[in-house]
Amino acid sequence: MTEIVLSDVSKRFRLPDREVTALDGITETFRSGSFTALIGPSGCGKSTLLRLIADVLPPSTGEIRIGNHDPAIARRSHEIGFVFQDASLLPWRTVLDNVSLPIEVAGKAPARDPRALITMVGLAGFEQARPSQLSGGMQQRVAIARALALEPKVLLMDEPFGALDEITRQRMNLELLDIWKASGTTAVLVTHSISEAVFMADTVLVLSANPGRIAHRIHIDLPRPRRLEMMRLPAFNAVENDVRAALFDDGTRVPA
């Protein structure tokens, strides 16, 4: 398991006519093996923050450490798994071949049998299926299995279930929690859903807009394992209201 530490991290983008600060002064520690949700208005820098951690973008100022490494070293060591909103599977490859792709690219012996990963995400029997033969939820399961193929120490997820219907989304939430528990990764999830953030996370970080800053840090004191019945409990609704109030307190509208 691996801790993620951000120290006074900011990110600025140069536009043709001006400079825009997307993130400003982000200081946060994501504990080893924890599950953190990032929530906030559109354009507040949630996805940018994931990309900074993943070494897809460099920070303008500040420092990011993944374990004892710079993010570039963690990325080259295959310690980071990334799941996007779009599953982005290669349509000409089977489920097994898509999950095996990172192993082929890395050119190393798999730490875990790709077939075992497919079983872990509930797709045993679909190893030879093509993406076009799978539902949206099944494709996202393949994407999660692919992200875990090299046993990353950090799992970053950018709205992975945003395009799914509510029933499928809740089922995927449960499956993802089981996968997270089994893999022991440090997980960071970007979501626009308050209930999803509360259901999944140990901590919810509420980001402000323009520029993105951590406006509120809400610890979720709900027992694990999480089950859907919990969402009907007064304690769950109370935490949802805390997150909703934090979003309004930031002066933003609650995302739909």
Side-chain angles (χ1 to χ4, degrees), residues 174-226:
L174 287 172
E175 290 170 3
L176 177 57
L177 286 178
D178 288 341
I179 293 166
W180 164 70
K181 181 179 179 181
S183 64
T185 59
T186 304
V188 185
L189 169 73
V190 165
T191 180
H192 279 102
S193 168
I194 295 173
S195 61
E196 183 172 71
V198 172
F199 184 73
M200 303 291 284
D202 302 310
T203 302
V204 176
L205 300 180
V206 181
L207 271 62
S208 63
N210 304 320
R213 298 186 177 98
I214 297 176
H216 296 274
R217 186 178 290 102
I218 300 172
H219 298 288
I220 310 301
D221 189 20
L222 295 171
R224 293 192 185 275
R226 306 272 168 87

Side-chain angles (χ1 to χ4, degrees), residues 109-159:
R112 183 181 294 179
D113 182 353
R115 292 179 184 274
L117 286 170
I118 292 169
T119 298
M120 187 174 74
V121 299
L123 289 176
F126 288 90
E127 290 84 356
Q128 299 306 315
R130 297 278 197 268
S132 62
Q133 297 171 306
L134 305 177
S135 68
M138 294 169 77
Q139 290 183 31
Q140 284 300 90
R141 290 188 224 176
V142 178
I144 293 168
R146 181 180 59 189
L148 295 172
L150 295 173
E151 292 199 318
K153 297 178 180 179
V154 170
L155 181 61
L156 307 174
M157 297 165 285
D158 192 359
E159 282 277 1

Side-chain angles (χ1 to χ4, degrees), residues 20-255:
V20 174
T21 300
L23 293 167
D24 182 49
I26 303 292
T27 295
E28 184 64 27
T29 296
F30 302 85
R31 294 179 295 103
S32 294
S34 64
F35 198 121
T36 303
L38 306 179
I39 195 167
S42 295
C44 71
K46 301 183 295 297
S47 296
T48 298
L49 184 55
L50 284 194
R51 283 157 175 75
L52 293 176
I53 295 172
D55 192 47
V56 175
L57 296 171
S60 300
T61 62
E63 183 182 41
I64 302 172
R65 305 293 291 179
I66 298 179
N68 297 318
H69 312 328
D70 179 271
I73 295 174
R75 175 179 54 79
R76 290 195 295 269
S77 300
H78 310 291
E79 295 181 10
I80 302 170
F82 208 127
V83 183
F84 298 91
Q85 183 170 359
D86 183 345
S88 300
L89 304 177
L90 298 180
W92 60 88
R93 293 178 71 108
T94 65
V95 166
L96 180 59
D97 289 342
N98 268 287
V99 173
S100 301
L101 182 61
I103 299 167
E104 296 173 18
V105 172
K108 58 188 290 189
R112 183 181 294 179
D113 182 353
R115 292 179 184 274
L117 286 170
I118 292 169
T119 298
M120 187 174 74
V121 299
L123 289 176
F126 288 90
E127 290 84 356
Q128 299 306 315
R130 297 278 197 268
S132 62
Q133 297 171 306
L134 305 177
S135 68
M138 294 169 77
Q139 290 183 31
Q140 284 300 90
R141 290 188 224 176
V142 178
I144 293 168
R146 181 180 59 189
L148 295 172
L150 295 173
E151 292 199 318
K153 297 178 180 179
V154 170
L155 181 61
L156 307 174
M157 297 165 285
D158 192 359
E159 282 277 1
F161 309 134
L164 304 182
D165 64 85
E166 189 66 19
I167 294 174
T168 303
R169 184 170 185 154
Q170 289 186 358
R171 287 175 179 164
M172 288 300 302
N173 287 164
L174 287 172
E175 290 170 3
L176 177 57
L177 286 178
D178 288 341
I179 293 166
W180 164 70
K181 181 179 179 181
S183 64
T185 59
T186 304
V188 185
L189 169 73
V190 165
T191 180
H192 279 102
S193 168
I194 295 173
S195 61
E196 183 172 71
V198 172
F199 184 73
M200 303 291 284
D202 302 310
T203 302
V204 176
L205 300 180
V206 181
L207 271 62
S208 63
N210 304 320
R213 298 186 177 98
I214 297 176
H216 296 274
R217 186 178 290 102
I218 300 172
H219 298 288
I220 310 301
D221 189 20
L222 295 171
R224 293 192 185 275
R226 306 272 168 87
R227 292 292 176 255
L228 293 179
E229 299 77 32
M230 186 180 293
M231 300 177 78
R232 299 195 294 267
L233 298 177
F236 187 92
N237 295 330
V239 182
E240 276 188 309
N241 288 336
D242 288 344
V243 175
R244 189 171 291 106
L247 285 162
F248 275 114
D249 182 58
D250 181 43
T252 65
R253 297 185 63 182
V254 179

